[in-house]
């Protein structure tokens, strides 16, 4: 069996027959990408199960009875509350670090997989890149010019499912690393480390901002986390701020 996202979803939902389930289980044992998908979907369903039960507003029953007397309700109207709950649950699942890691790894592979990087700004001077993002309404913490032998080459604003992030590109030959500055919140105590879509991913907080680092090589990703934390700590000392 080759990668089949629909079958993996059916497997997570226990909707497959015995033969299909056995085939997917055998594939998952060999495919890290599909295992990551299965784990992300399990986390999303776990988030769904934690949602509180919806309570109707005061007077809803009386209004409904009057509506039933006037006209037969359409199926679409009856499904709207269910759809609203599912949408809220979906976006709640995107706040899980495992789901965010999957999204960042997907964008890393997509950008570096193109014939030319889809950068909006080019250059190896971190200060210049930071000023460009600030001019476009995105505030960045101090970022490194490079780490582990890889150098900054550019960046762009990257739309994810529920937010837009700053995506910075680093490269040295065939080695590539993406550094993401992610607005908003994620259910993260300090740091999160995983492998998603065959990429090493680390998500951590520095100076009150959420940062994600993605790369093919775990050593490169580790070097960027150390460099990023060091750069931010050095800037805080220069500004007279206490280190976090």
């Amino acid at each position: 069996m080759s990668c089949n996202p629909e079958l993996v979803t059916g497997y997570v939902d226990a909707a497959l027959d015995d033969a299909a389930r056995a085939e997917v289980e055998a594939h998952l044992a060999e495919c890290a990408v599909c295992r990551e998908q299965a784990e992300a979907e399990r986390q999303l369903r776990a988030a769904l199960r934690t949602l509180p039960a919806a309570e109707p507003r005061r007077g809803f029953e009386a209004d409904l009875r009057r509506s039933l007397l006037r006209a037969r309700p359409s199926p679409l109207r009856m499904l709207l509350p269910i759809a609203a709950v599912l949408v809220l649950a979906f976006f709640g699942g995107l706040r899980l670090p495992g789901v965010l890691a999957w999204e960042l790894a997907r964008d890393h592979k997509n950008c570096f997989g193109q014939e030319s990087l889809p950068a909006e700004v080019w250059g190896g001077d971190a200060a210049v890149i930071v000023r460009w993002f600030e001019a476009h309404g995105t505030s960045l913490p101090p970022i490194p010019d490079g780490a582990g032998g890889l150098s900054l080459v550019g960046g762009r604003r990257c739309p994810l499912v529920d937010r837009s992030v700053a995506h910075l590109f680093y490269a040295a030959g065939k080695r590539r690393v993406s550094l993401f500055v992610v607005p908003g919140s994620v259910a993260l105590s300090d740091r999160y480390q995983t492998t998603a879509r065959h990429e090493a991913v680390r998500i951590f907080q520095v100076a009150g901002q959420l940062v994600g680092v993605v790369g093919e090589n775990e050593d490169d990703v580790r070097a960027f986390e150390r460099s990023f934390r060091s750069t931010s700590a050095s800037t805080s000392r220069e500004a007279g701020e206490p280190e976090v």
Side-chain angles (χ1 to χ4, degrees):
M1 160 183 170
S2 58
C3 293
N4 189 320
E6 290 78 12
L7 281 180
V8 173
T9 297
Y11 173 76
V12 173
D13 290 335
L16 303 180
D17 57 33
D18 292 344
R21 183 174 64 256
E23 185 178 6
V24 173
E25 287 176 345
H27 178 70
L28 290 177
E30 301 176 351
C31 179
V33 172
C34 289
R35 285 199 302 274
E36 285 291 333
Q37 177 192 342
E39 180 59 27
E41 294 196 14
R42 289 191 187 100
Q43 292 186 41
L44 179 57
R45 284 153 181 74
L48 286 170
R49 289 193 292 271
T50 64
L51 289 175
E55 293 291 338
R57 61 177 173 78
R58 187 186 299 274
F60 173 77
E61 184 176 352
D63 290 345
L64 179 59
R65 289 181 183 277
R66 284 193 292 269
S67 297
L68 289 173
L69 290 175
R70 288 196 300 268
R72 188 183 184 90
S74 69
L76 177 61
R77 186 174 180 181
M78 296 296 291
L79 289 174
L80 284 177
I82 298 174
V85 171
L86 291 176
V87 169
L88 289 173
F90 172 73
F91 283 102
L94 293 175
R95 301 294 175 175
L96 298 172
V99 178
L100 176 62
W102 179 271
E103 285 291 303
L104 298 184
R106 180 185 60 80
D107 195 68
H108 167 81
K109 293 179 76 74
N110 177 62
C111 288
F112 277 107
Q114 297 186 36
E115 186 173 345
S116 61
L117 280 173
E120 296 178 287
V121 57
W122 296 93
D125 188 332
V128 172
I129 300 296
V130 169
R131 286 197 296 271
W132 182 89
F133 275 101
E134 289 177 345
H136 289 79
T138 301
S139 177
L140 300 185
I143 62 173
D145 290 325
L150 287 87
S151 300
L152 178 65
V153 295
R156 74 166 187 144
R157 294 161 297 177
C158 167
L160 299 185
V161 174
D162 66 331
R163 69 190 90 183
S164 179
V165 304
H167 184 176
L168 306 171
F169 306 119
Y170 293 82
K174 294 185 177 181
R175 296 162 56 205
R176 292 85 54 90
V177 162
S178 289
L179 192 153
F180 297 90
V181 179
V182 184
S185 61
V186 169
L188 183 72
S189 57
D190 177 54
R191 66 193 297 276
Y192 179 80
Q193 178 178 345
T194 189
T195 300
R197 300 178 65 90
H198 301 297
E199 308 294 323
V201 182
R202 292 191 179 205
I203 301 172
F204 50 91
Q205 292 180 336
V206 174
Q209 290 187 277
L210 193 67
V211 174
V213 182
V214 182
E216 296 89 345
N217 187 295
E218 173 64 33
D219 290 338
D220 289 340
V221 173
R222 185 184 304 111
F224 268 87
E225 180 180 3
R226 287 197 301 265
S227 177
F228 197 93
R229 289 184 182 275
S230 175
T231 300
S232 297
S234 175
T235 302
S236 296
R237 287 194 298 270
E238 292 173 1
E241 300 174 0
E243 294 186 26
V244 179

